[in-house]
Amino acid sequence: MAVTKEQVLAALGQVAAPNGGSLTEARVLSDIVVSDGKVFFSITVGAADVKAWEPVRKRAEDAVKAVSGVASALVALTAERTGGSAAPRPAAAVAPQRPAPHAHAHPAHPADKTQPGIPGVEAVIAVASGKGGVGKSTTAVNLALGLRDQGLKVGMLDADIYGPSLPKLLAIREKPQTIGGNRLKPIERYGLTVMSIGFLIDEDTPMIWRGPMVMSAITQMLREVEWGKLDVLVVDMPPGTGDAQLTMAQQVPLKGAVIVSTPQDLALIDARRGVAMFNRVNVPVLGVVENMSYFLCPECGTRSDIFGHGGARHEAERLGVSFLGEVPLHMTIREKSDAGLPVVATEPDGPHAKIYRDIAAKVLAAMKGGGRAAPKIVVEA
Ligand SMILES: Nc1ncnc2c1ncn2[C@@H]1O[C@H](COP(=O)(O)OP(=O)(O)OP(=O)(O)O)[C@@H](O)[C@H]1O
Ligand SMILES: [Mg+2]
């Protein structure tokens, strides 16, 4: 029998809040997401009360896990800041495990030597964009496959909690198995080791995750997945320069970031923001990819620069970061990508696969060379 929200609420009604009343009466619960036996929700309390609530969070998680049919429960404790700075909440200030947020907390420095890597994973790179829909996930998948073709053992993490793409782009429908109770075994596809929050949540589950939940989910996917030995883990980032990006920068030493942009001016402004964000957290930008760069007519082979192609190359030069290559807007890329048949894997001899492989070779060279912009992380060869 499928678990219902009511069953979860009934279990939570038995958990005591610090003031003595029940958790369900304390008006601290977010909406409760129940999907396929997995339960997610957050408890939001004042920053000063976090210490008192942490044991409640734990008890709530245990109570939910005890409900028959519940496979796993993830309860995040969210601290609501009151007063203080009028600035938007920096991601570091709301990390669930940081009970005493600073009003102007600066993101942790990823180059900090004390920051632990992921055991077995040599390098982590992020594929990011300032704006959504520029083809970041498509690029990330084909770049990962291109790196695979360079002889590397490659993993992919879908950090887009709000709109995970990897289940679709890699046609993965199976659920990851659990190892030893609390670690997840990633899925293997096309020689890539893959993990996505989308494997755990149904596509049509409403995404009510809030910043701190995003962070704890990403942390879990980085640290509680049996990645095995990987030369590189390619992370498909959600669009923008928000919580998830900063979490990544804080959670693991990122070797670098690849920024995807379309050639239009507006997208380029966002790409600029992306570059600036990674510079700010001391992550080298490995380069910029111009996606949907030009249109190649499938019938006549004529090339049209529908968006005024070349913008990303100029912008990369202006920002002092490498230009990694241009990918045409092409029906094959779209169709293959959306069918879970990425071109590099399924049409390896085609023109598009070659473009992605060339980009992958440049990315690899940049990883070894440290990237041109903000090469503040010393990269070991
Ligand atoms: N070079 C291309 N040629 C044709 N279609 C493309 C190309 N790149 C991406 N697409 C298509 O554009 C759409 C958006 O791509 P994708 O999902 O990779 O973007 P995204 O930047 O990851 O989006 P989001 O911000 O939603 O995560 C998809 O349908 C994809 O197949
Ligand atoms: Mg995407």
Side-chain angles (χ1 to χ4, degrees):
M1 259 258 295
V3 183
T4 64
K5 217 168 169 170
E6 287 66 38
Q7 282 172 292
V8 172
L9 281 169
L12 293 175
Q14 304 300 311
V15 175
N19 66 4
S22 92
L23 180 53
T24 41
E25 288 160 354
R27 304 170 71 91
V28 294
L29 295 179
S30 71
D31 192 10
I32 289 168
V33 178
V34 183
S35 170
D36 204 17
K38 300 178 185 69
V39 180
F40 309 90
F41 62 92
S42 66
I43 299 175
T44 304
V45 299
D49 304 326
V50 168
K51 262 212 164 76
W53 278 88
E54 175 49 35
V56 181
R57 185 202 68 79
K58 180 81 182 67
R59 283 204 297 277
E61 213 166 68
D62 292 343
V64 174
K65 279 183 193 155
V67 174
S68 119
V70 169
S72 66
L74 175 61
V75 182
L77 185 57
T78 309
E80 225 168 42
R81 290 181 330 110
T82 44
S85 134
R89 297 204 290 183
V94 292
Q97 304 306 332
R98 287 169 207 221
H102 310 294
H104 292 286
H106 192 272
H109 294 284
D112 186 344
K113 288 202 176 51
T114 57
Q115 188 186 42
I118 305 171
V121 179
E122 275 293 304
V124 185
I125 62 170
V127 177
S129 69
K131 179 176 167 248
V134 297
K136 185 173 9 66
S137 302
T138 305
T139 308
V141 165
N142 285 295
L143 168 64
L145 289 162
L147 289 167
R148 175 204 69 174
D149 291 347
Q150 298 276 323
L152 302 185
K153 179 74 187 131
V154 184
M156 276 205 84
L157 169 64
D158 189 350
D160 197 342
I161 307 289
Y162 297 99
S165 312
L166 292 190
K168 180 170 158 200
L169 296 189
L170 293 168
I172 297 175
R173 274 172 211 98
E174 63 259 46
K175 304 274 173 201
Q177 292 170 344
T178 325
I179 315 167
N182 58 359
R183 294 186 70 77
L184 286 171
K185 193 168 172 315
I187 308 273
E188 295 286 328
R189 185 63 42 100
Y190 302 123
L192 305 176
T193 304
V194 189
M195 187 63 205
S196 165
I197 194 85
F199 300 159
L200 308 174
I201 296 179
D202 287 336
E203 250 175 63
D204 34 43
T205 302
M207 288 289 154
I208 53 109
W209 299 74
R210 303 163 51 132
M213 288 188 84
V214 170
M215 287 187 272
S216 64
I218 291 177
T219 307
Q220 277 190 320
M221 288 203 297
L222 281 167
R223 306 239 169 251
E224 293 170 24
V225 169
E226 287 288 340
W227 288 108
K229 276 201 93 55
L230 294 180
D231 295 309
V232 54
L233 177 63
V234 176
V235 183
D236 178 16
M237 304 285 274
T241 48
D243 289 350
Q245 283 79 1
L246 289 168
T247 301
M248 289 300 304
Q250 290 166 335
Q251 294 293 328
V252 280
L254 279 178
K255 189 145 272 187
V258 171
I259 309 283
V260 180
S261 179
T262 54
Q264 300 96 309
D265 281 339
L266 274 178
L268 287 171
I269 291 169
D270 291 304
R272 222 168 291 157
R273 281 200 195 107
V275 170
M277 194 209 80
F278 285 107
N279 279 342
R280 206 163 57 236
V281 292
N282 294 338
V283 170
V285 173
L286 300 170
V288 175
V289 174
E290 183 171 280
N291 189 38
M292 311 194 195
S293 182
Y294 51 92
F295 177 68
L296 207 53
C297 171
E299 266 87 52
C300 61
T302 311
R303 169 177 169 150
S304 342
D305 295 343
I306 43 179
F307 298 126
H309 128 274
R313 181 191 288 273
H314 291 142
E315 195 57 32
E317 274 164 16
R318 209 177 70 82
L319 295 168
V321 299
S322 304
F323 184 68
L324 297 168
E326 44 200 42
V327 180
L329 176 71
H330 200 284
M331 201 46 130
T332 307
I333 299 181
R334 200 192 67 70
E335 281 173 357
K336 290 274 174 183
S337 186
D338 294 349
L341 303 164
V343 284
V344 174
T346 60
E347 293 192 353
D349 301 324
H352 308 307
K354 178 170 182 327
I355 290 171
Y356 285 118
R357 277 197 304 271
D358 289 347
I359 291 173
K362 289 208 179 103
V363 167
L364 187 58
M367 281 166 69
K368 288 187 175 154
R372 260 168 51 190
K376 288 167 190 154
I377 298 178
V378 181
V379 181
E380 62 281 3

